[in-house]
Amino acid sequence: MPPSVAVIGCGPSGMFFLHALAHRRARLEAEGDEGGLAALPVVTCYERSSGPGGVWRSQDMLSNGEYVVEYDGGDGNEGGMKPTNMYDSLWTNAAKEAMEFFDYTYLEHFGASMPMFLPRKLALDYILKRCTRNNPSFFDVVQFNTSVENVTFDAVSSTFAVRVFDSKSGCTSVTVFDYVIWAGGNNGRRNIPPDVDQALKSGGFAGKIMHSSQVDTNFDRDVRHKNVIIVGDQHSAEDLALYAIKLGAQRVDIVSRGGRGVATDMGSWPDNKVTVVEGYLPTGVACGGRGVILSKVESSNPAFTENIDDQIALHSVDTVIYCTGYDCNFSMLDESLRPQSSRAQGAHVDKGWKMSENALSRDLGHVPLGSVSPEFAFLDQNFYRGRLRSNPSIFFMLESVHEEHLLALDVTAWLFLAQITGDLPLPADCEINQFNRETLIEAMDSPLLRRQVDPAYRAKWENTIRVDHWAEDRSDCRTRDMIWNLWDIQYRILARDALDSGYPLGIGSFDTLNERGQALVSFNMITDYARYELDEGSSENWDTFRDCDPSRCYSIFTGQRASPLKRQWLDLDGSELEEIVDGETGDGDGGTGITPEIFMADMAGPGSLSLQVGLQV
């Protein structure tokens, strides 16, 4: 009997697993491989919403509270059922060229050159069309309007019992499966900072308080001609700050606790309407409920907060938006099946391990490996390539802190299928330890990655590297090299997974990236620096990072270069295709051979990253 698989969620993660299965089935059918076809798993996918897309579906696509998740209100009390979908006007914040599919290019889908960044609606349409264009019955295995309520494991039969509720029929049923794939996405529960929320509400804040996931078509009335505070400094803070300005906000203050989020990298903001306040958190209310008191946070880096006031007040505040992220929702899983918090202890490596020499070695010296946090999925010792080590029959599609975009999820889907079909057998425990150890050691050679996950290294960095050090200057070639290295290790891990799973796109190996892999790194570098290199002139011209020169990004499949937006991003009227591009087909002059040296030279002066080539999958 072929194995049976339950997939929880039909967002990109769930869809990509179904696509990997459909792709393999089509290949086996073309080859006439009856044995291979008989061994393919029988899959049932459960999706709470009425359609596919997961968090990529906008709030406006929802009706009657569909596709909602359990939500802890932030204070430990159950806050009811709340949606966590994207708002309709959201745009991607990374180059689309790093998220193109091997079997369906942007040129095939759009028929013309497209900008580097896409509106949510167009990105979702591309994802869905990729799945259904050759397979109209693609979603027949998905049970929509069906919530997974409980998943338990029977050790005797080695099977899972999955209890689901069909909201259309009102019926509950239980089905037994050999494998479970949790594909619920990282945006399952809103993360509300309890202390901040309590301080604002108990202090009688008179304005509106909302989470970023609550932004909808009424956002205009929440921000137009108003003063806005955004708590958090990552991508949603960046995007909503720009969106608020676009809608006519008077002032936006981004409150950044640690000063390390992407919003703090912005060189300038349109018309200087945005201020990033680093080293603070909201702790109280003033001015009869219209002011917000910010207090200095405690920091392991004295230099970060030594020259700022203990408290400041922001006056005439109308709206506070929490851009404080999400937590995964594992509530449907039995406790024994949920990933436990873990740290990749330094004891897992040889006691004599030392970080490879790098540009910071002279400043920081040797720092013994500490207790590493699993912020990156590939560092989590609970897992072996997405399989829960305590129960290898359940898989988790977990995203890393640094998003490797849709490509990583697509590769992971193939990796899961290879393991379920036996193409990639589960190794012995000692081999798993060695595999995870090698990944950890390679990752810890990246100074920026190690600073993010190793508290001991971060403390040494913060107590040694001052704000005037070259490592804090993104224009310094040594800093650029460290950022390249941060992306390089993530893509090399992805390249290893692609090779081992038989993924049709090769981007290199665990040891080194090929030309395509290096191109993908460069696209991420370009989007990083599009923010940093905005200057005062950009502010006066109302430029955003989405208005950067797109010509250095191109399809690694067709060579087609990205096109500029029809007009400045803030001046765009909508997100329909004809509203963002002129419809002219760009040239197909793509390139490869992107190396750190070429990238540094390109960023230092005029020229193009792209070298003439023809690319094949």
Side-chain angles (χ1 to χ4, degrees):
M1 288 287 291
S4 56
V5 180
V7 178
I8 302 174
C10 196
S13 297
M15 283 191 285
F16 293 169
F17 182 79
L18 298 180
H19 179 272
L21 179 61
H23 190 280
R24 175 176 287 211
R25 177 176 285 108
R27 177 177 62 80
L28 294 174
E29 288 174 346
E31 296 171 353
D33 188 344
E34 296 296 331
L37 288 168
L40 290 180
V42 177
V43 176
T44 303
C45 181
Y46 299 105
E47 169 56 51
R48 184 191 298 270
S49 178
S50 63
V55 73
W56 283 75
R57 304 183 82 210
S58 74
Q59 297 281 12
D60 295 342
M61 297 174 70
L62 308 183
S63 62
N64 300 320
E66 69 170 51
Y67 195 71
V68 291
V69 295
E70 296 288 350
Y71 163 53
D72 185 317
D75 56 1
N77 298 317
E78 194 63 29
M81 305 292 284
K82 305 292 183 180
T84 59
N85 294 68
M86 296 180 182
Y87 49 94
D88 192 54
S89 299
L90 182 73
W91 282 55
T92 60
N93 48 42
K96 74 179 191 306
E97 286 71 22
M99 303 183 287
E100 190 170 16
F101 299 124
F102 68 88
D103 59 329
Y104 190 47
T105 66
Y106 289 118
L107 184 57
E108 286 180 273
H109 182 72
F110 294 109
S113 176
M114 293 293 290
M116 282 175 57
F117 306 97
L118 294 177
R120 174 211 57 80
K121 179 179 179 180
L122 295 183
L124 176 58
D125 184 61
Y126 171 63
I127 295 171
L128 293 174
K129 190 68 173 180
R130 183 244 189 156
C131 294
T132 60
R133 66 191 184 105
N134 294 325
N135 189 356
S137 59
F138 182 85
F139 291 112
D140 285 357
V141 298
V142 183
Q143 294 186 21
F144 293 108
N145 302 298
T146 303
S147 304
V148 176
E149 294 186 327
N150 184 247
V151 180
T152 58
F153 182 73
D154 179 39
V156 176
S157 62
S158 297
T159 58
F160 296 91
V162 178
R163 188 180 77 231
V164 302
F165 173 73
D166 186 328
S167 62
K168 290 290 187 181
S169 67
C171 296
T172 299
S173 60
V174 178
T175 307
V176 174
F177 294 93
D178 298 306
Y179 295 95
V180 168
I181 296 176
W182 181 90
N186 284 23
N187 295 33
R189 295 176 183 267
R190 298 173 187 167
N191 181 23
I192 305 290
D195 293 342
V196 172
D197 199 48
Q198 176 65 21
L200 294 179
K201 290 177 179 177
S202 64
F205 177 65
K208 181 167 184 175
I209 302 174
M210 61 191 300
H211 188 270
S212 59
S213 62
Q214 294 174 292
V215 172
D216 55 21
T217 52
N218 296 316
F219 190 56
D220 179 280
R221 70 186 182 192
D222 298 322
V223 299
R224 185 177 295 276
H225 306 310
K226 295 183 178 181
N227 297 322
V228 179
I229 287 180
I230 293 178
V231 182
D233 58 11
Q234 292 296 342
H235 287 294
S236 60
E238 168 193 69
D239 190 72
L240 281 178
L242 291 173
Y243 188 31
I245 295 172
K246 187 173 186 175
L247 293 176
Q250 182 173 307
R251 185 190 80 221
V252 178
D253 290 290
I254 298 176
V255 180
S256 167
R257 176 174 186 161
R260 292 291 182 185
V262 66
T264 67
D265 294 333
M266 200 74 72
S268 72
W269 297 85
D271 202 31
N272 292 315
K273 286 192 171 186
V274 179
T275 301
V276 180
V277 187
E278 299 184 18
Y280 288 94
L281 276 179
T283 57
V285 179
C287 304
R290 304 302 307 192
V292 174
I293 298 171
L294 305 182
S295 298
K296 182 170 67 174
V297 300
E298 294 184 8
S299 174
S300 60
N301 180 8
F304 180 55
T305 56
E306 63 184 359
N307 294 319
I308 64 176
D309 296 329
D310 288 339
Q311 283 191 338
I312 59 176
L314 301 178
H315 302 285
S316 303
V317 179
D318 301 288
T319 304
V320 174
I321 307 172
Y322 295 132
C323 290
T324 45
Y326 304 83
D327 295 319
C328 294
N329 180 20
F330 300 129
S331 63
M332 74 289 296
L333 303 177
D334 184 77
E335 285 284 352
S336 64
L337 300 176
R338 300 178 189 179
Q340 305 300 311
S341 60
S342 73
R343 290 192 175 256
Q345 301 291 336
H348 290 168
V349 302
D350 296 335
K351 292 183 178 179
W353 175 84
K354 287 189 176 182
M355 191 176 186
S356 297
E357 288 291 316
N358 58 69
L360 282 174
S361 295
R362 179 174 298 180
D363 296 281
L364 300 182
H366 169 57
V367 181
L369 188 62
S371 181
V372 178
S373 65
E375 294 181 41
F376 292 78
F378 52 76
L379 294 181
D380 195 330
Q381 299 299 295
N382 283 306
F383 297 97
Y384 167 73
R385 311 190 96 165
R387 303 179 85 156
L388 190 65
R389 292 185 66 177
S390 59
N391 188 329
S393 293
I394 186 169
F395 296 76
F396 289 83
M397 282 269 200
L398 297 173
E399 303 167 30
S400 296
V401 172
H402 277 274
E403 55 181 319
E404 294 145 353
H405 317 303
L406 299 176
L407 175 60
L409 293 178
D410 206 36
V411 171
T412 302
W414 281 66
L415 190 69
F416 286 5
L417 183 59
Q419 294 181 81
I420 290 173
T421 57
D423 295 342
L424 197 59
L426 182 69
D429 205 50
C430 61
E431 295 176 282
I432 292 177
N433 289 335
Q434 179 62 24
F435 178 90
N436 287 346
R437 184 183 302 116
E438 290 174 357
T439 303
L440 174 65
I441 290 174
E442 191 69 21
M444 290 304 94
D445 272 340
S446 166
L448 291 178
L449 194 154
R450 188 178 176 193
R451 182 186 69 178
Q452 190 164 340
V453 301
D454 183 355
Y457 190 75
R458 180 167 59 251
K460 185 64 179 290
W461 181 306
E462 292 178 344
N463 287 301
T464 305
I465 305 302
R466 314 300 285 185
V467 292
D468 58 350
H469 192 277
W470 62 260
E472 299 295 333
D473 178 9
R474 282 177 175 257
S475 65
D476 191 286
C477 63
R478 291 164 292 185
T479 305
R480 293 179 190 269
D481 187 61
M482 288 198 300
I483 298 173
W484 180 283
N485 179 257
L486 174 64
W487 284 109
D488 178 77
I489 177 58
Q490 294 177 79
Y491 274 103
R492 284 192 285 119
I493 291 172
L494 191 63
R496 178 181 62 187
D497 288 344
L499 278 175
D500 292 349
S501 65
Y503 191 73
L505 171 64
I507 60 173
S509 67
F510 187 56
D511 295 323
T512 184
L513 295 175
N514 62 20
E515 293 172 335
R516 291 189 194 89
Q518 291 184 20
L520 292 172
V521 172
S522 74
F523 300 154
N524 287 283
M525 292 284 287
I526 289 167
T527 57
D528 284 348
Y529 276 85
R531 297 171 171 87
Y532 172 78
E533 293 182 341
L534 289 168
D535 54 26
E536 290 303 318
S538 303
S539 171
E540 295 170 3
N541 296 328
W542 288 64
D543 284 338
T544 72
F545 71 93
R546 295 189 178 108
D547 298 301
C548 70
D549 175 13
S551 63
R552 293 174 298 170
C553 285
Y554 60 88
S555 168
I556 61 173
F557 303 105
T558 66
Q560 182 150 47
R561 297 181 187 277
S563 63
L565 292 166
K566 192 172 186 177
R567 56 180 65 92
Q568 283 180 297
W569 184 80
L570 286 173
D571 293 331
L572 293 174
D573 297 325
S575 56
E576 299 296 334
L577 184 61
E578 64 274 8
E579 294 172 321
I580 68 172
V581 293
D582 287 322
E584 298 178 1
T585 302
D587 64 62
D589 180 17
T592 58
I594 313 302
T595 64
E597 293 75 22
I598 294 175
F599 180 82
M600 304 307 170
D602 181 78
M603 296 299 286
S608 172
L609 273 172
S610 303
L611 306 177
Q612 178 74 27
V613 306
L615 291 170
Q616 301 294 326
V617 178

